[in-house]
Amino acid sequence: MKVLVIGPGGREHAIVRSLLADPNVSEVHSAPGNAGIATLVPTHAIDANNPEAVANLALKLGADLVVVGPEAPLAAGVSDAVREAGIPVFGPSREAAQLEASKAFAKQVMAEANVPTAMAKVAVNAEEAADALDTFGAPYVVKDDGLAAGKGVVVTKDRDEALAHAQTCFDAGGSVVIEEFLDGPEVSLFVLCDGRTTVPLVPAQDFKRIFDGDEGPNTGGMGAYTPLNWAPEGLVQEVIDRVAQPTVDEMARRGTPFIGVLFCGLALTSRGTRVIEFNARFGDPETQAVLARLKTPLGGVLMAAAKGELDKAEELRWSKESAVAVVVAANNYPGTPRTGDRIRGLKKVEAIDGVHVIHAGTALNEDGKVVSAGGRVLAVVALGADLVKAREKAYDGVELVQLEGSVFRTDIAAKAARGEIKVSGPRTGALPVTKLSSAASPTSTKEDS
Ligand code: AMP
Ligand code: GLY
C-alpha cells in the first residue's frame, strides 16, 4: 500500500516513521514534510492546505491512502477533496472537523450527545464577556472560538486579563467561549473512528505550558508521556462509552460522519471526567510518545478507519515499555521564534538505545545542514522499562542537542514517575447517563502484549 501523509510537523514525522515499519506499506510520501521526514521518504512541496493540490498529488502518486495530520488542511476541506477523487482518506471532512475548528460547535454536539464538559457561554462583545466571566467566577477560562494552534486559551485569576484576551479576539472579528474552570489532571485520549466504530489508543499526558511547573503561556505542547500509571482503571472505557461513541453517533446522525482521530482532551476533575476540548486529529507531541509504543502495523489500522472497516481491524497491541517525548523549542517560543540556527548533535542522540529524534520545525539550509525553522523544533522520544528510565534516556538525548538559545521543560513525566499525580472524585457511574450506542464497538486494546 502506498500512503501520502499531509503535514509538516513532529506528528507527521512520527506517523511516517510508524507507517514505514508496517510490512504492508510499500511506499510513503509526505507533503510538505520537514527535514527529518525528508531523510525517510520523498517529500512534495505543495500547499498542504489547498484541497485540490493535495487531491492532485494523491492521484499523481497513485496513493492508496491519504493521512491528514494537522487541523488546518482538515478545516480547509482537504479530506473532502481526496475522498471525492476516490481515494480513502484518514481525516474528517471539513464539516466533521468543526468539532475542533469551532469550540461553539463542539459544545453544541456535546450538549446534544449528553457528553460531560465544562459549562460554557459564547460571547461576541465585551458586555457579554464580562457577564459570562462573572457567572462562572475565577479562575477564568477564555477561549478564542476558532483555530489558534493551542494558543487561543487564557486561564487566569485576573479578570482584566481575561477581558483583555476576549477583546483581542473580538477585535480580530471573532467570538469567544467562556467556561467554568476544570480542576484535576488532564488526559489526552486519541480515538480512531471510521464514522461508526471507535477504537481507543492508549492515553497520554501533554504539557501545555512553556515553563516547568506548568508556568507561563500555553504552547502547542512541550512534551508527553504514556502510559499514565496513575489513571483510574476503566478510564478508557468510560471515555468511549460517555464521550467518544456518543459523539461519533451524533455526528453520524447529523449526516456528517466522523472519520479520523477524535482527540478527547479530558480533565479528571473532582466531580468526574469532563471534556476540555475535542480535536479532529492526532495530538502533537502526544503522538510521538503514543506511536512509539504501538506494535500493531499502523497502515492497516488507518486504512480500516478510512474505509469504514474498523470493526474488522485487528486488536491493537502495545509495548509494555514507557515512552517519554521532550520537545526542544526555539528561542522566544511561543512568541515569534528565532529560526535559521544550526542544530547539531542529532546523530549522537539517535545512538542512544531506545531513543529517536522526531523533527518538527526543521529545514535544510543551502549547505544541506539541519537548521531550526519553527517554534517547536524537535522532540527527543525515548522508550524505557518504566517512566523513570524513559525520562532518563529522553533527557540524556536532549542534553546532546545543540541549538543556540533553545528551551525545553525539565519536568516532563516527572510527577508521574515519582507517583505524585492523584485523581480524586467520582469516576464511572457518576456522570449523566448517555444514550448508549447501537454500533458495535470493539474498544478492547491490549496493553501487555
Ligand atoms: P484547549 O485549547 O481548549 O485545549 O485549552 C488549552 C489548555 O487550556 C488545556 O489543555 C487546559 O490546560 C487549559 N484549559 C482549557 N479549558 C479549561 C477549563 N475549562 N478549565 C481549566 N483549564 C482549561
Ligand atoms: N498537544 C495538544 C495538541 O496537539 O493540540
Side-chain angles (χ1 to χ4, degrees):
M1 141 177 41
K2 201 188 263 191
V3 190
L4 170 62
V5 178
I6 300 301
R11 159 186 47 220
E12 290 75 31
H13 190 179
I15 291 170
V16 166
R17 194 174 175 274
S18 290
L19 286 172
L20 288 172
D22 181 338
N24 289 319
V25 172
S26 52
E27 213 174 308
V28 179
H29 289 258
S30 151
N34 59 37
I37 295 174
T39 64
L40 302 175
V41 302
T43 58
H44 304 268
I46 59 159
D47 175 4
N49 294 336
N50 179 333
E52 210 186 335
V54 174
N56 286 341
L57 176 63
L59 285 170
K60 195 178 94 189
L61 293 171
D64 300 298
L65 173 68
V66 175
V67 179
V68 184
E71 57 272 31
L74 294 171
V78 162
S79 299
D80 308 74
V82 175
R83 219 165 264 133
E84 270 160 36
I87 301 172
V89 53
F90 184 81
S93 66
R94 186 200 341 226
E95 278 185 89
Q98 288 297 304
L99 274 182
E100 169 166 9
S102 166
K103 292 188 187 287
F105 175 82
K107 286 288 184 192
Q108 282 168 17
V109 171
M110 283 189 264
E112 200 62 44
N114 220 349
V115 169
T117 183
M119 286 185 294
K121 287 185 162 191
V122 179
V124 298
N125 59 43
E127 205 180 318
E128 287 180 13
D131 195 49
L133 291 175
D134 295 336
T135 305
F136 300 125
Y140 303 104
V141 182
V142 181
K143 302 185 174 186
D144 191 340
D145 183 44
L147 289 176
K151 295 174 225 159
V153 179
V154 165
V155 180
T156 176
K157 290 185 179 144
D158 181 343
R159 190 171 177 279
D160 291 338
E161 191 190 343
L163 275 176
H165 180 57
Q167 193 58 52
T168 310
C169 300
F170 301 146
D171 290 346
S175 55
V176 296
V177 173
I178 292 178
E179 50 181 59
E180 71 174 313
F181 177 79
L182 300 175
D183 62 347
E186 288 180 34
V187 172
S188 300
L189 182 68
F190 304 154
V191 181
L192 306 180
C193 307
D194 67 359
R196 198 167 49 93
T197 299
T198 54
V199 174
L201 305 190
V202 288
Q205 195 174 42
D206 178 24
F207 293 74
K208 287 262 162 66
R209 306 280 187 137
I210 184 76
F211 300 128
D212 282 7
D214 298 327
E215 301 284 342
N218 267 327
T219 70
M222 293 298 291
Y225 68 93
T226 169
L228 307 183
N229 52 0
W230 48 270
E233 219 190 306
L235 175 70
V236 171
Q237 195 59 47
E238 178 193 7
V239 176
I240 288 294
D241 292 345
R242 311 224 166 204
V243 175
Q245 193 66 51
T247 300
V248 166
D249 292 345
E250 170 61 14
M251 294 302 284
R253 191 190 68 75
R254 288 172 176 235
T256 52
F258 190 93
I259 299 166
V261 180
L262 181 65
F263 168 156
C264 304
L266 308 156
L268 309 193
T269 80
S270 49
R271 288 179 296 139
T273 304
R274 299 282 185 276
V275 174
I276 291 188
E277 64 161 352
F278 282 138
N279 293 312
R281 51 170 175 84
F282 284 110
D284 189 332
E286 293 97 317
T287 300
Q288 287 84 317
V290 168
L291 290 187
R293 291 184 56 215
L294 180 65
K295 287 180 153 182
T296 313
L298 182 64
V301 182
L302 299 186
M303 182 61 112
K307 286 183 158 175
E309 295 171 355
L310 266 184
D311 53 345
K312 299 190 204 97
E314 65 176 301
E315 189 180 19
L316 300 184
R317 288 171 291 110
W318 298 94
S319 160
K320 267 192 226 160
E321 288 188 298
S322 296
V324 173
V326 180
V327 169
V328 176
N331 195 267
N332 202 41
Y333 180 74
T336 309
R338 196 171 103 189
T339 57
D341 293 301
R342 269 297 300 277
I343 305 167
R344 294 185 171 86
L346 300 185
K347 283 208 183 97
K348 284 189 197 154
V349 180
E350 298 238 313
I352 306 173
D353 183 41
V355 176
H356 62 271
V357 175
I358 294 287
H359 290 237
T362 64
L364 295 179
N365 68 9
E366 294 128 32
D367 306 328
K369 307 285 187 199
V370 180
V371 295
S372 59
R376 292 187 294 170
V377 177
L378 55 85
V380 176
V381 184
L383 280 169
D386 54 24
L387 285 176
V388 174
K389 301 232 167 51
R391 274 191 94 238
E392 268 170 24
K393 287 203 215 178
Y395 281 105
D396 285 349
V398 167
E399 295 297 339
L400 293 170
V401 177
Q402 293 174 38
L403 169 62
E404 210 184 304
S406 61
V407 290
F408 61 88
R409 279 184 61 158
T410 67
D411 63 348
I412 305 302
K415 275 192 184 171
R418 291 195 301 260
E420 285 174 11
I421 303 184
K422 297 279 175 286
V423 181
S424 63
R427 300 264 73 88
T428 309
L431 300 166
V433 178
T434 54
K435 287 170 268 179
L436 281 180
S437 134
S438 52
S441 171
T443 53
S444 54
T445 139
K446 243 197 256 152
E447 276 251 25
D448 317 317
S449 50

